[in-house]
Amino acid sequence: MSRCGCSSQCSCAVVGSENITVTGTGAPANPYVISADAGGALQVTDTPTVDLTLLGSGTASDPHILSAAARISGTAGNLLSEHPDGLAVTCEDVQDCVGQALADGLEYDDANTIRARVSGQAGNSLSIGPDGGLYAPQGGGNPVVVGDSACIGMDGDGAGTPLTASPILDPAAGNLLACEGGGLRASLDTGCGLAGDGSPAAPLSAAVQAWPYDCDMDAAAGGVYCDSNGVLRSEPRPLAFFVEDHVNQTYPDLAVPAAPYTPAATRTLEVTNPDPCREAFVIVETELDIDFSLPAGASASGAYGGDEVQRFVNTGNALAHDVHCQMTKVYHATVAAGATQNIEMEVGIGRGSGGATYNRIQTFIRAFVFVL
Amino acid sequence: MDNRHLAPTVEITAYYQHEDGSVSRRVARVPAGQQDSVQPPPGAQVIDEATYEQLLTQLTEASEQARQQAAQEQDAQRHTDYQALLALGLGEDTARRLSGYTGSHDPDEPEQDESR
């Protein structure tokens, strides 16, 4: 249909080509009619990858229908496949394919992950590092963790710093062990009373002198002991001391009894043996002095310990005042360890006659105490 | 110097008055720490030194008086013996030697015996 408004003839030239025919003038009454002849000359040719199909004769009533189908190779391992929406090669297929070709050191878990395969063998230090990459600590192998025992201290990591072991020496006083250039050594120094260095050639022993006496040492020597503090001790210390009791008693001229012996006074000295181990040997010395007044012809006697030690008789014809004589006795006693013993001295007078009197009794009791 | 082998001792002096009228002075040496072992004799009373000296003086003076009394009696007896020996015709020297009289020849004034 003409759109240019021509009234009788269109000035436009319309020419047909091969199999195209143009009729009419272009006037409204005679419009151009373009028609084509049905061909039948269309042909298709397949390629190795495209399979073309041409249907119809190419006429209006039997038009050509051209279709193409992709040709999928049947070669084993071909991952290309046809899907309703077209050809596809899926990532999963590629992964599975690649996964089948993995060699040692790689693994595919069929969960879409291909990764390096880390050996689970003991001692393997390779791992996936925090950054996702393969990681092996410097020096290789497992990291060395060191720990100290009570006596050995460890240091180093075996890689950057070498492993070292050092003895732990007790710093407390008295530890003889030392680590010196030649190695561990316990050097024993001995003081007074000890000899040797503890070695088999010079065993540690007490430094003693030779027994200088002619007697049998086993029978005569004292002992050496170890006390509760670990200190060597000898026999108990010898101990000596002196005690005494001196009494000078003045009387108002008392008559001397006529009986041979009448107790007049008792004097006592207490002796305590302070040694808890040994008996004390005591030398006792006693003295007695009685002053008598003896008229002419009078007599009197003095005694102690039941022993009359003095007897006076005034054979003159004059009064004798303060007649006295100081007597001494010496004897020994023993006091058991830790015990107390009273040394008594009973003073007696007697044989008084002729108006004899006494006015003083003086006594000494002396004890020389030895604990040996 | 190590004196551990010598036990220390202390000296104690005590004074007592006894029931029989006597007094006593006691000097005791006892081991240190055992001063309590020095106890007064039974019946004795502890007195101080001044009291002791006072009582001792009294006893001494009483004894001295008794001695002087006895001496006077003795001199009187010697004088009597001396006079009796003279009356028997003995010489003065013999009479003095036998009687022990050393006083004056005057029988009324006997002298104190100087031999005491």
Side-chain angles (χ1 to χ4, degrees):
Chain A
M1 178 172 55
S2 172
R3 295 177 301 167
C4 59
C6 296
S7 58
S8 61
Q9 185 173 352
C10 181
S11 61
C12 295
V14 178
V15 178
S17 63
E18 183 179 3
N19 295 329
I20 300 301
T21 303
V22 179
T23 61
T25 62
N30 188 21
Y32 293 126
V33 176
I34 303 172
S35 62
D37 293 336
L42 183 61
Q43 295 180 342
V44 296
T45 300
D46 292 339
T47 67
T49 57
V50 178
D51 182 9
L52 296 174
T53 301
L54 179 62
L55 300 178
S57 59
T59 63
S61 59
D62 187 21
H64 289 299
I65 298 173
L66 179 61
S67 63
R71 300 183 64 181
I72 308 291
S73 172
T75 302
N78 182 19
L79 300 180
L80 186 64
S81 61
E82 181 180 359
H83 295 265
D85 57 347
L87 296 176
V89 176
T90 65
C91 186
E92 174 69 21
D93 291 341
V94 173
Q95 290 171 348
D96 290 346
C97 181
V98 172
Q100 293 175 2
L102 297 182
D104 291 346
L106 295 173
E107 67 179 355
Y108 174 58
D109 62 358
D110 202 20
N112 304 330
T113 299
I114 298 173
R115 59 192 175 193
R117 178 169 176 264
V118 178
S119 172
Q121 186 172 341
N124 183 20
S125 65
L126 187 66
S127 63
I128 305 300
D131 57 355
L134 293 176
Y135 169 74
Q138 188 175 19
N142 290 324
V144 176
V145 178
V146 297
D148 296 344
S149 66
C151 298
I152 301 295
M154 298 293 296
D155 200 1
D157 57 11
T161 55
L163 285 176
T164 57
S166 302
I168 298 174
L169 303 179
D170 189 340
N175 185 14
L176 302 179
L177 195 63
C179 182
E180 300 174 346
L184 289 175
R185 178 178 175 80
S187 179
L188 188 63
D189 295 327
T190 56
C192 181
L194 292 174
D197 58 11
S199 66
L204 192 65
S205 61
V208 297
Q209 296 185 1
W211 180 251
Y213 307 104
D214 293 335
C215 59
D216 180 14
M217 178 173 64
D218 291 354
V224 177
Y225 310 91
C226 185
D227 70 9
S228 59
N229 296 315
V231 177
L232 290 178
R233 298 283 190 174
S234 64
E235 298 288 347
R237 296 174 185 274
L239 183 68
F241 61 94
F242 165 72
V243 292
E244 68 174 335
D245 192 289
H246 167 220
V247 178
N248 190 1
Q249 187 166 356
T250 302
Y251 298 85
D253 291 331
L254 300 178
V256 179
Y261 181 88
T262 299
T266 299
R267 308 287 162 75
T268 302
L269 175 63
E270 183 179 285
V271 177
T272 297
N273 178 7
D275 191 287
C277 307
R278 298 162 299 171
E279 184 180 70
F281 181 86
V282 183
I283 297 175
V284 180
E285 189 263 354
T286 56
E287 298 180 24
L288 171 64
D289 193 5
I290 305 174
D291 282 23
F292 294 105
S293 287
L294 300 174
S299 68
S301 68
Y304 67 106
D307 179 19
E308 186 177 83
V309 295
Q310 54 188 210
R311 185 173 183 183
F312 302 102
V313 177
N314 185 354
T315 58
N317 59 1
L319 175 64
H321 292 296
D322 296 339
V323 176
H324 63 100
C325 179
Q326 192 151 333
M327 308 299 292
T328 297
K329 285 185 176 181
V330 178
Y331 59 98
H332 90 278
T334 57
V335 181
T340 297
Q341 180 173 322
N342 288 329
I343 298 177
E344 289 193 348
M345 179 180 180
E346 184 184 80
V347 179
I349 55 175
R351 304 186 191 281
S353 68
T357 60
Y358 67 98
N359 59 65
R360 188 173 65 94
I361 296 177
Q362 181 178 222
T363 58
F364 291 85
I365 307 176
R366 296 186 174 101
F368 302 83
V369 185
F370 302 93
V371 184
L372 302 174
Chain B
M1 185 173 67
D2 185 355
N3 285 328
R4 281 179 289 184
H5 61 289
L6 295 176
T9 57
V10 295
E11 185 177 278
I12 299 172
T13 301
Y15 303 91
Y16 306 115
Q17 183 177 20
H18 302 267
E19 293 176 323
D20 59 4
S22 64
V23 294
S24 62
R25 179 177 185 268
R26 182 182 187 184
V27 179
R29 176 169 293 279
V30 299
Q34 296 184 19
Q35 291 88 327
D36 291 343
S37 65
V38 180
Q39 295 295 322
Q45 179 183 356
V46 177
I47 57 177
D48 58 26
E49 182 178 8
T51 303
Y52 168 78
E53 294 293 345
Q54 179 183 358
L55 294 174
L56 180 63
T57 300
Q58 291 175 4
L59 287 173
T60 303
E61 290 177 351
S63 180
E64 183 61 28
Q65 288 178 0
R67 292 178 187 182
Q68 290 179 357
Q69 177 66 30
Q72 290 175 357
E73 293 174 355
Q74 177 180 271
D75 288 343
Q77 182 61 51
R78 285 177 172 174
H79 184 255
T80 300
D81 294 342
Y82 173 68
Q83 292 291 358
L85 291 172
L86 290 178
L88 290 175
L90 298 178
E92 181 179 350
D93 292 343
T94 301
R96 285 182 179 275
R97 186 170 63 253
L98 291 177
S99 65
Y101 178 68
T102 58
S104 94
H105 182 64
D106 183 353
D108 295 329
E109 296 181 358
E111 293 184 352
Q112 189 72 26
D113 187 353
E114 297 178 351
S115 63
R116 297 191 300 273

